[in-house]
Amino acid sequence: VCTHGIFSGAIYLLLPMKSSFIIAESCPIAMHGVRDWTERSLPDYSIAEARSFKELNRALADRRYDLIVFDLELNDINSYQTIKRIIRLHLATRILVFSSRPGNVYAKRFIRVGANGFVSKQATQTQFVAAVQKVLASSAYMSDLEWLERDCILDLLSNNELEVARMLAQGAPVTEIAKALRSSVSPISPYKTR
């Protein structure tokens, strides 16, 4: 009860707001699993879904989320630039990268561009839930902290060079790589050589 000022005599209950997060995952089975794990382990959270970058953008325009669980395989995006953009536009939103890509190659890179955590799609339910809780508590999370200390030959490549190498290894033509990276073909060719 407030007994002075303009709120004199009024009773205010300060109820904690329900934390909310959005799962940005392109694979329906993975989306279902993540949502199921989260609803059972963290029932006090409001959970939304986005199956594409376009859906994620729409959802972020409609409301504020405490956390984005971010699949790196969303179509037609440059993951590094997307994370930087989300951070620039939504400062308070935390980002947990959820990926099948090898952590020893990618975890450090995404932490450097501003993600708050990196968890492998090979993680157990316990590891995944711990990652969500830690990132929401404003801590960083890595599913294997050794990754931060280990050197990897691919650390010598820039983020763009690594994306080009990954896409080339998957058999993507240079024109498709340029489109995915929102670049022209000419900067891609030197990366291919390197």
Side-chain angles (χ1 to χ4, degrees):
V1 175
C2 181
T3 58
H4 63 281
I6 59 172
F7 301 115
S8 181
I11 297 175
Y12 293 93
L13 296 175
L14 297 177
L15 300 174
M17 290 193 57
K18 196 172 192 178
S19 290
S20 65
F21 65 92
I22 186 164
I23 304 165
E25 170 61 61
S26 59
C27 175
I29 292 172
M31 173 73 81
H32 176 76
V34 169
R35 185 171 192 122
D36 183 58
W37 281 1
T38 308
E39 286 174 340
R40 283 193 278 133
S41 302
L42 303 167
D44 295 332
Y45 290 79
S46 168
I47 304 165
E49 297 179 1
R51 295 188 193 277
S52 68
F53 181 62
K54 190 181 279 188
E55 286 181 24
L56 177 61
N57 269 337
R58 274 196 304 264
L60 290 173
D62 290 344
R63 71 176 286 192
R64 186 182 97 57
Y65 291 92
D66 299 302
L67 174 70
I68 299 170
V69 176
F70 188 79
D71 171 22
L72 298 178
E73 303 304 326
L74 290 176
N75 296 335
D76 298 331
I77 63 164
N78 175 326
S79 302
Y80 302 106
Q81 295 306 318
T82 300
I83 288 175
K84 286 179 183 179
R85 182 177 176 273
I86 290 169
I87 292 166
R88 191 176 65 250
L89 297 174
H90 307 279
L91 277 175
T93 300
R94 316 275 300 157
I95 299 172
L96 176 62
V97 174
F98 183 54
S99 179
S100 57
R101 295 185 194 175
N104 64 328
V105 176
Y106 288 94
K108 284 190 278 189
R109 291 174 182 276
F110 284 101
I111 296 298
R112 281 188 208 128
V113 297
N116 306 102
F118 184 98
V119 66
S120 170
K121 286 190 176 182
Q122 301 300 313
T124 64
Q125 179 179 356
T126 303
Q127 290 169 322
F128 177 78
V129 171
V132 168
Q133 291 172 321
K134 195 160 189 177
V135 169
L136 281 170
S138 297
S139 296
Y141 181 87
M142 302 284 289
S143 48
D144 183 355
L145 292 175
E146 290 177 23
W147 292 341
L148 287 175
E149 297 158 7
R150 244 187 266 160
D151 286 330
C152 175
I153 190 73
L154 297 174
D155 287 344
L156 299 173
L157 300 177
S158 71
N159 291 341
N160 279 344
E161 288 170 329
L162 183 62
E163 284 303 292
V164 169
R166 183 183 68 78
M167 294 176 85
L168 285 169
Q170 291 176 336
V174 174
T175 53
E176 185 180 314
I177 295 169
K179 182 180 176 190
L181 296 179
R182 297 186 179 161
S183 177
S184 64
V185 172
S186 55
I188 304 300
S189 295
Y191 293 158
K192 186 176 178 179
T193 305
R194 187 165 180 216

PDB file of all heavy atoms in Angstrom, residues 12 19 24 31 34 45 52 57 70 92 111 114 116 118 122 131 141 158 164-165 187 191:
ATOM      1  N   TYR A  12      -0.940  -1.626  -5.123  1.00  0.00           N
ATOM      2  CA  TYR A  12      -0.341  -2.069  -6.387  1.00  0.00           C
ATOM      3  C   TYR A  12       0.348  -3.401  -6.175  1.00  0.00           C
ATOM      4  O   TYR A  12       1.138  -3.558  -5.257  1.00  0.00           O
ATOM      5  CB  TYR A  12       0.688  -1.047  -6.897  1.00  0.00           C
ATOM      6  CG  TYR A  12       0.047   0.241  -7.294  1.00  0.00           C
ATOM      7  CD1 TYR A  12      -0.067   1.290  -6.399  1.00  0.00           C
ATOM      8  CD2 TYR A  12      -0.491   0.375  -8.560  1.00  0.00           C
ATOM      9  CE1 TYR A  12      -0.697   2.454  -6.757  1.00  0.00           C
ATOM     10  CE2 TYR A  12      -1.122   1.540  -8.932  1.00  0.00           C
ATOM     11  CZ  TYR A  12      -1.214   2.577  -8.028  1.00  0.00           C
ATOM     12  OH  TYR A  12      -1.841   3.728  -8.394  1.00  0.00           O
ATOM     13  N   SER A  19       8.632 -14.157 -18.769  1.00  0.00           N
ATOM     14  CA  SER A  19       9.702 -14.039 -19.751  1.00  0.00           C
ATOM     15  C   SER A  19       9.237 -14.662 -21.057  1.00  0.00           C
ATOM     16  O   SER A  19       8.508 -15.642 -21.072  1.00  0.00           O
ATOM     17  CB  SER A  19      10.959 -14.758 -19.271  1.00  0.00           C
ATOM     18  OG  SER A  19      11.536 -14.071 -18.204  1.00  0.00           O
ATOM     19  N   ALA A  24      13.699 -19.466 -33.413  1.00  0.00           N
ATOM     20  CA  ALA A  24      13.838 -19.270 -34.857  1.00  0.00           C
ATOM     21  C   ALA A  24      14.534 -20.510 -35.400  1.00  0.00           C
ATOM     22  O   ALA A  24      15.748 -20.641 -35.321  1.00  0.00           O
ATOM     23  CB  ALA A  24      14.641 -18.012 -35.152  1.00  0.00           C
ATOM     24  N   MET A  31      12.105 -27.824 -34.176  1.00  0.00           N
ATOM     25  CA  MET A  31      11.240 -26.833 -33.533  1.00  0.00           C
ATOM     26  C   MET A  31      10.344 -27.506 -32.500  1.00  0.00           C
ATOM     27  O   MET A  31      10.216 -27.036 -31.370  1.00  0.00           O
ATOM     28  CB  MET A  31      10.385 -26.110 -34.585  1.00  0.00           C
ATOM     29  CG  MET A  31       9.339 -25.181 -34.011  1.00  0.00           C
ATOM     30  SD  MET A  31      10.021 -23.665 -33.318  1.00  0.00           S
ATOM     31  CE  MET A  31      10.240 -22.731 -34.827  1.00  0.00           C
ATOM     32  N   VAL A  34      12.477 -28.650 -29.410  1.00  0.00           N
ATOM     33  CA  VAL A  34      12.905 -27.518 -28.576  1.00  0.00           C
ATOM     34  C   VAL A  34      11.717 -26.955 -27.808  1.00  0.00           C
ATOM     35  O   VAL A  34      11.799 -26.686 -26.609  1.00  0.00           O
ATOM     36  CB  VAL A  34      13.578 -26.424 -29.439  1.00  0.00           C
ATOM     37  CG1 VAL A  34      13.771 -25.144 -28.656  1.00  0.00           C
ATOM     38  CG2 VAL A  34      14.903 -26.927 -29.966  1.00  0.00           C
ATOM     39  N   TYR A  45       7.515 -19.650 -19.077  1.00  0.00           N
ATOM     40  CA  TYR A  45       7.972 -18.842 -20.201  1.00  0.00           C
ATOM     41  C   TYR A  45       6.937 -18.850 -21.313  1.00  0.00           C
ATOM     42  O   TYR A  45       6.324 -19.865 -21.595  1.00  0.00           O
ATOM     43  CB  TYR A  45       9.309 -19.380 -20.745  1.00  0.00           C
ATOM     44  CG  TYR A  45      10.455 -19.146 -19.814  1.00  0.00           C
ATOM     45  CD1 TYR A  45      10.648 -19.961 -18.705  1.00  0.00           C
ATOM     46  CD2 TYR A  45      11.338 -18.107 -20.028  1.00  0.00           C
ATOM     47  CE1 TYR A  45      11.704 -19.751 -17.842  1.00  0.00           C
ATOM     48  CE2 TYR A  45      12.398 -17.887 -19.170  1.00  0.00           C
ATOM     49  CZ  TYR A  45      12.569 -18.709 -18.077  1.00  0.00           C
ATOM     50  OH  TYR A  45      13.608 -18.493 -17.226  1.00  0.00           O
ATOM     51  N   SER A  52      11.263 -18.949 -40.390  1.00  0.00           N
ATOM     52  CA  SER A  52      12.076 -18.296 -41.420  1.00  0.00           C
ATOM     53  C   SER A  52      12.533 -16.949 -40.886  1.00  0.00           C
ATOM     54  O   SER A  52      12.016 -16.448 -39.891  1.00  0.00           O
ATOM     55  CB  SER A  52      11.258 -18.088 -42.700  1.00  0.00           C
ATOM     56  OG  SER A  52      10.240 -17.129 -42.468  1.00  0.00           O
ATOM     57  N   ASN A  57      11.586 -11.596 -38.353  1.00  0.00           N
ATOM     58  CA  ASN A  57      11.511 -10.132 -38.456  1.00  0.00           C
ATOM     59  C   ASN A  57      10.133  -9.614 -38.093  1.00  0.00           C
ATOM     60  O   ASN A  57      10.005  -8.610 -37.387  1.00  0.00           O
ATOM     61  CB  ASN A  57      11.877  -9.673 -39.872  1.00  0.00           C
ATOM     62  CG  ASN A  57      13.341  -9.394 -40.012  1.00  0.00           C
ATOM     63  OD1 ASN A  57      14.028  -9.127 -39.036  1.00  0.00           O
ATOM     64  ND2 ASN A  57      13.833  -9.461 -41.220  1.00  0.00           N
ATOM     65  N   PHE A  70      18.315 -19.136 -31.876  1.00  0.00           N
ATOM     66  CA  PHE A  70      18.553 -18.841 -33.282  1.00  0.00           C
ATOM     67  C   PHE A  70      19.243 -19.982 -34.019  1.00  0.00           C
ATOM     68  O   PHE A  70      20.387 -20.329 -33.723  1.00  0.00           O
ATOM     69  CB  PHE A  70      19.417 -17.569 -33.349  1.00  0.00           C
ATOM     70  CG  PHE A  70      19.607 -17.001 -34.711  1.00  0.00           C
ATOM     71  CD1 PHE A  70      18.617 -16.250 -35.309  1.00  0.00           C
ATOM     72  CD2 PHE A  70      20.788 -17.197 -35.397  1.00  0.00           C
ATOM     73  CE1 PHE A  70      18.791 -15.707 -36.575  1.00  0.00           C
ATOM     74  CE2 PHE A  70      20.978 -16.660 -36.659  1.00  0.00           C
ATOM     75  CZ  PHE A  70      19.971 -15.920 -37.245  1.00  0.00           C
ATOM     76  N   ALA A  92      18.109  -5.212 -25.793  1.00  0.00           N
ATOM     77  CA  ALA A  92      17.836  -5.996 -24.586  1.00  0.00           C
ATOM     78  C   ALA A  92      17.601  -7.475 -24.864  1.00  0.00           C
ATOM     79  O   ALA A  92      17.577  -8.284 -23.940  1.00  0.00           O
ATOM     80  CB  ALA A  92      16.629  -5.412 -23.856  1.00  0.00           C
ATOM     81  N   ILE A 111      30.001 -15.606 -30.697  1.00  0.00           N
ATOM     82  CA  ILE A 111      30.147 -14.852 -29.443  1.00  0.00           C
ATOM     83  C   ILE A 111      30.795 -13.495 -29.755  1.00  0.00           C
ATOM     84  O   ILE A 111      30.366 -12.457 -29.245  1.00  0.00           O
ATOM     85  CB  ILE A 111      30.973 -15.646 -28.414  1.00  0.00           C
ATOM     86  CG1 ILE A 111      30.257 -16.939 -28.019  1.00  0.00           C
ATOM     87  CG2 ILE A 111      31.302 -14.795 -27.199  1.00  0.00           C
ATOM     88  CD1 ILE A 111      28.919 -16.793 -27.348  1.00  0.00           C
ATOM     89  N   GLY A 114      28.409 -10.967 -31.077  1.00  0.00           N
ATOM     90  CA  GLY A 114      27.421 -10.489 -30.121  1.00  0.00           C
ATOM     91  C   GLY A 114      26.419 -11.478 -29.582  1.00  0.00           C
ATOM     92  O   GLY A 114      25.607 -11.145 -28.723  1.00  0.00           O
ATOM     93  N   ASN A 116      24.944 -14.325 -27.237  1.00  0.00           N
ATOM     94  CA  ASN A 116      25.179 -14.527 -25.809  1.00  0.00           C
ATOM     95  C   ASN A 116      25.465 -15.978 -25.459  1.00  0.00           C
ATOM     96  O   ASN A 116      25.827 -16.279 -24.324  1.00  0.00           O
ATOM     97  CB  ASN A 116      23.971 -14.042 -25.013  1.00  0.00           C
ATOM     98  CG  ASN A 116      23.633 -12.617 -25.361  1.00  0.00           C
ATOM     99  OD1 ASN A 116      22.703 -12.364 -26.121  1.00  0.00           O
ATOM    100  ND2 ASN A 116      24.411 -11.672 -24.868  1.00  0.00           N
ATOM    101  N   PHE A 118      26.078 -20.268 -27.323  1.00  0.00           N
ATOM    102  CA  PHE A 118      26.125 -21.204 -28.437  1.00  0.00           C
ATOM    103  C   PHE A 118      25.902 -22.587 -27.859  1.00  0.00           C
ATOM    104  O   PHE A 118      26.617 -23.018 -26.962  1.00  0.00           O
ATOM    105  CB  PHE A 118      27.493 -21.146 -29.122  1.00  0.00           C
ATOM    106  CG  PHE A 118      27.604 -22.008 -30.361  1.00  0.00           C
ATOM    107  CD1 PHE A 118      27.443 -21.433 -31.609  1.00  0.00           C
ATOM    108  CD2 PHE A 118      27.868 -23.367 -30.273  1.00  0.00           C
ATOM    109  CE1 PHE A 118      27.545 -22.212 -32.763  1.00  0.00           C
ATOM    110  CE2 PHE A 118      27.969 -24.149 -31.416  1.00  0.00           C
ATOM    111  CZ  PHE A 118      27.811 -23.573 -32.667  1.00  0.00           C
ATOM    112  N   GLN A 122      23.290 -31.204 -30.765  1.00  0.00           N
ATOM    113  CA  GLN A 122      23.557 -32.504 -30.165  1.00  0.00           C
ATOM    114  C   GLN A 122      23.391 -32.461 -28.641  1.00  0.00           C
ATOM    115  O   GLN A 122      23.540 -33.477 -27.967  1.00  0.00           O
ATOM    116  CB  GLN A 122      24.985 -32.964 -30.498  1.00  0.00           C
ATOM    117  CG  GLN A 122      25.272 -33.083 -31.973  1.00  0.00           C
ATOM    118  CD  GLN A 122      24.363 -34.079 -32.663  1.00  0.00           C
ATOM    119  OE1 GLN A 122      24.157 -35.180 -32.181  1.00  0.00           O
ATOM    120  NE2 GLN A 122      23.792 -33.686 -33.786  1.00  0.00           N
ATOM    121  N   ALA A 131      21.396 -23.841 -20.911  1.00  0.00           N
ATOM    122  CA  ALA A 131      21.839 -22.756 -21.791  1.00  0.00           C
ATOM    123  C   ALA A 131      20.818 -21.630 -21.814  1.00  0.00           C
ATOM    124  O   ALA A 131      21.170 -20.456 -21.687  1.00  0.00           O
ATOM    125  CB  ALA A 131      22.079 -23.293 -23.200  1.00  0.00           C
ATOM    126  N   TYR A 141      26.883 -18.510 -22.467  1.00  0.00           N
ATOM    127  CA  TYR A 141      26.855 -19.963 -22.388  1.00  0.00           C
ATOM    128  C   TYR A 141      27.530 -20.555 -23.607  1.00  0.00           C
ATOM    129  O   TYR A 141      27.270 -20.154 -24.733  1.00  0.00           O
ATOM    130  CB  TYR A 141      25.417 -20.508 -22.317  1.00  0.00           C
ATOM    131  CG  TYR A 141      25.401 -22.016 -22.221  1.00  0.00           C
ATOM    132  CD1 TYR A 141      25.494 -22.639 -20.990  1.00  0.00           C
ATOM    133  CD2 TYR A 141      25.349 -22.812 -23.363  1.00  0.00           C
ATOM    134  CE1 TYR A 141      25.517 -24.019 -20.887  1.00  0.00           C
ATOM    135  CE2 TYR A 141      25.377 -24.196 -23.270  1.00  0.00           C
ATOM    136  CZ  TYR A 141      25.460 -24.797 -22.034  1.00  0.00           C
ATOM    137  OH  TYR A 141      25.485 -26.155 -21.935  1.00  0.00           O
ATOM    138  N   SER A 158      38.261 -15.119 -42.272  1.00  0.00           N
ATOM    139  CA  SER A 158      37.253 -14.148 -41.823  1.00  0.00           C
ATOM    140  C   SER A 158      35.900 -14.854 -41.787  1.00  0.00           C
ATOM    141  O   SER A 158      35.747 -15.961 -42.314  1.00  0.00           O
ATOM    142  CB  SER A 158      37.189 -12.958 -42.793  1.00  0.00           C
ATOM    143  OG  SER A 158      36.592 -13.365 -44.017  1.00  0.00           O
ATOM    144  N   VAL A 164      31.837 -18.788 -47.122  1.00  0.00           N
ATOM    145  CA  VAL A 164      32.088 -19.191 -48.512  1.00  0.00           C
ATOM    146  C   VAL A 164      32.624 -20.615 -48.538  1.00  0.00           C
ATOM    147  O   VAL A 164      32.148 -21.459 -49.316  1.00  0.00           O
ATOM    148  CB  VAL A 164      33.061 -18.215 -49.213  1.00  0.00           C
ATOM    149  CG1 VAL A 164      33.537 -18.781 -50.553  1.00  0.00           C
ATOM    150  CG2 VAL A 164      32.402 -16.850 -49.407  1.00  0.00           C
ATOM    151  N   ALA A 165      33.585 -20.923 -47.672  1.00  0.00           N
ATOM    152  CA  ALA A 165      34.157 -22.274 -47.634  1.00  0.00           C
ATOM    153  C   ALA A 165      33.089 -23.311 -47.287  1.00  0.00           C
ATOM    154  O   ALA A 165      33.026 -24.380 -47.911  1.00  0.00           O
ATOM    155  CB  ALA A 165      35.294 -22.329 -46.608  1.00  0.00           C
ATOM    156  N   PRO A 187      33.768 -10.511 -55.158  1.00  0.00           N
ATOM    157  CA  PRO A 187      34.506 -10.728 -53.906  1.00  0.00           C
ATOM    158  C   PRO A 187      34.545 -12.203 -53.480  1.00  0.00           C
ATOM    159  O   PRO A 187      35.377 -12.590 -52.669  1.00  0.00           O
ATOM    160  CB  PRO A 187      33.739  -9.928 -52.865  1.00  0.00           C
ATOM    161  CG  PRO A 187      32.695  -9.160 -53.561  1.00  0.00           C
ATOM    162  CD  PRO A 187      32.576  -9.704 -54.940  1.00  0.00           C
ATOM    163  N   TYR A 191      37.962 -15.484 -52.160  1.00  0.00           N
ATOM    164  CA  TYR A 191      37.743 -16.350 -50.994  1.00  0.00           C
ATOM    165  C   TYR A 191      37.876 -17.808 -51.406  1.00  0.00           C
ATOM    166  O   TYR A 191      38.429 -18.626 -50.691  1.00  0.00           O
ATOM    167  CB  TYR A 191      36.350 -16.150 -50.384  1.00  0.00           C
ATOM    168  CG  TYR A 191      36.097 -14.795 -49.748  1.00  0.00           C
ATOM    169  CD1 TYR A 191      34.797 -14.347 -49.579  1.00  0.00           C
ATOM    170  CD2 TYR A 191      37.141 -13.996 -49.313  1.00  0.00           C
ATOM    171  CE1 TYR A 191      34.546 -13.115 -48.988  1.00  0.00           C
ATOM    172  CE2 TYR A 191      36.888 -12.762 -48.719  1.00  0.00           C
ATOM    173  CZ  TYR A 191      35.596 -12.333 -48.570  1.00  0.00           C
ATOM    174  OH  TYR A 191      35.338 -11.124 -47.979  1.00  0.00           O
TER     175      TYR A 191
END
